[in-house]
Amino acid sequence: MPQDNRSGLLIIRAWMEHGSSAPLRAELSTTTDVSSGIERTSVHTDVVQVGAEVQTWLRGVLAGKERLAS
Amino acid sequence: MLGTFQFWVANEALPKLSGGSQRLLAFLALRDRAVTRVAAAGALWPDATQSHAFSSLRSAISRLDEVTQDAVVATRLDLSFAEDIAVDFRAAQGIAHRLVDLNAAPRAFDLSAAAVTALSTDLLPDWYDDWVLIENADWHQLRLHALEALAARLTDDGRLGEAIHAALAAVNTEPLRETAQATLIRVHLAEGNQSEAMRVYENYRGQLRTQLGIEPTQGLQDLVRAPRLW
């Protein structure tokens, strides 16, 4: 079985925009293989959306490892 | 280390160093004090065993050539970066700290186009080591505040063209940051260009609607819509 040495990376940078109706800003920069650099960047205002994005990224990391294993 | 890693000697860039040498030099250059060999090895090779990390550290030090080895001050326990070697990142940090400190008097260079360029540049982009990511996140915040402060100072000085350059750099660094957009709008208003200010506002409003489904704050709406007498 080939060894998978890839590392995924997720960076969340969060800040507040005071006075806004939705003050949270969370910028997510993600990659499922850090050797490829950052693959996707998105910004969210909702905690649930941020959680969903993290789950999607983890599934992408897992799918990549499963593809390599098969 | 701003933009890319490059080691210069007398205005001449050295040929590309090995990855290990670059990381060692960058790690030490980011610190203004000595670092224990244990800490350096652990930070630079976090996934390796301690003995393997030490071995990699010794290898990286031994691979430094005659010129670059002078940059590393090595004792039996510690490593540090030679004090007489200039580091662009430290210089840029100095500019930023002087600009955000309301009690500090900025130097002429701090208000220059070269300063805007330095403040617009990421630290070691595409390096994903933890110690770089953390430092870069801190730098990102500091330089945003510095660019906004620089634009405000230049506006106060009537240097409006340069102020727009600085404010645009802040906006480009963080397009969804409202204080950056407000800074740019204030410069346009100081120039008497209300239509430009409105264009910036509408562009930002469009980004917010498209990406986040929200409106700008009341404060920004008031800023751009307040009646003005010229």
Side-chain angles (χ1 to χ4, degrees), chain B residues 91-120:
Chain B
Q93 278 181 309
I95 293 170
H97 283 299
R98 285 191 294 276
L99 286 169
V100 298
D101 182 353
L102 295 177
N103 296 317
R107 302 170 186 171
F109 182 83
D110 299 345
L111 307 179
S112 68
V116 174
T117 300
L119 296 171
S120 303

Side-chain angles (χ1 to χ4, degrees), chain A residues 22-46:
Chain A
L24 175 67
R25 300 286 183 277
E27 182 191 76
L28 281 74
S29 304
T30 63
T31 178
T32 54
D33 181 2
V34 78
S35 65
S36 304
I38 295 296
E39 295 166 335
R40 174 179 158 77
T41 299
S42 59
V43 181
H44 301 280
T45 58
D46 184 84

Side-chain angles (χ1 to χ4, degrees), chain A residues 9 13 17 25 34 38 43, chain B residues 128 174 176-178 214:
Chain A
L9 177 70
R13 200 160 53 76
E17 291 287 356
R25 300 286 183 277
V34 78
I38 295 296
V43 181
Chain B
Y128 297 108
E174 189 58 79
L176 294 179
R177 181 179 165 93
E178 189 159 302
I214 59 175

Side-chain angles (χ1 to χ4, degrees), chain B:
Chain B
M1 296 193 292
L2 293 176
T4 186
F5 181 93
Q6 188 68 62
F7 198 99
W8 296 78
V9 178
N11 294 326
E12 191 170 330
L14 291 187
K16 191 172 171 65
L17 302 171
S18 72
S21 297
Q22 284 189 25
R23 292 170 72 239
L24 172 62
L25 290 167
F27 179 78
L28 295 176
L30 286 176
R31 281 149 187 79
D32 54 5
R33 56 180 172 77
V35 183
T36 64
R37 285 177 181 253
V38 177
L44 290 167
W45 291 275
D47 299 327
T49 62
Q50 191 176 57
S51 63
H52 190 256
F54 267 118
S55 170
S56 298
L57 179 62
R58 281 193 299 274
S59 175
I61 294 171
S62 67
R63 283 185 192 166
L64 296 173
D65 61 20
E66 280 184 21
V67 175
T68 51
Q69 69 183 5
D70 286 345
V72 177
V73 180
T75 69
R76 197 171 61 82
L77 293 177
D78 296 332
L79 299 169
S80 58
F81 200 71
E83 287 182 2
D84 58 345
I85 297 181
V87 179
D88 60 352
F89 177 61
R90 287 187 188 172
Q93 278 181 309
I95 293 170
H97 283 299
R98 285 191 294 276
L99 286 169
V100 298
D101 182 353
L102 295 177
N103 296 317
R107 302 170 186 171
F109 182 83
D110 299 345
L111 307 179
S112 68
V116 174
T117 300
L119 296 171
S120 303
T121 310
D122 273 331
L123 168 70
L124 297 171
D126 303 326
W127 287 37
Y128 297 108
D129 306 76
D130 290 355
W131 50 274
V132 178
L133 291 173
I134 292 168
E135 196 73 51
N136 209 3
D138 188 44
W139 173 234
H140 187 88
Q141 281 304 306
L142 176 60
R143 66 194 184 86
L144 273 170
H145 283 99
L147 283 166
E148 291 174 9
L150 174 55
R153 282 181 190 264
L154 290 168
T155 303
D156 290 344
D157 291 349
R159 296 163 63 178
L160 299 177
E162 294 160 275
I164 284 179
H165 184 46
L168 275 172
V171 166
N172 290 334
T173 299
E174 189 58 79
L176 294 179
R177 181 179 165 93
E178 189 159 302
T179 51
Q181 299 282 352
T183 301
L184 180 57
I185 287 170
R186 283 194 193 95
V187 183
H188 284 310
L189 292 175
E191 274 192 311
N193 290 325
Q194 197 153 13
S195 63
E196 277 293 296
M198 186 59 83
R199 185 187 58 76
V200 171
Y201 172 79
E202 290 297 343
N203 184 35
Y204 174 60
R205 185 183 184 204
Q207 287 185 67
L208 276 187
R209 280 183 167 180
T210 304
Q211 295 188 41
L212 304 176
I214 59 175
E215 292 290 322
T217 64
Q218 190 63 48
L220 195 69
Q221 294 177 38
D222 293 345
L223 173 66
V224 77
R225 289 183 176 144
R228 287 167 203 287
L229 296 173
W230 306 112

Side-chain angles (χ1 to χ4, degrees), chain A residues 2 4 7 10 12-13 15 21 24 38 42 46 50 53 58 65:
Chain A
D4 186 2
S7 289
L10 180 149
I12 302 178
R13 200 160 53 76
W15 72 98
S21 57
L24 175 67
I38 295 296
S42 59
D46 184 84
V50 175
E53 183 85 16
L58 283 171
K65 289 188 182 298

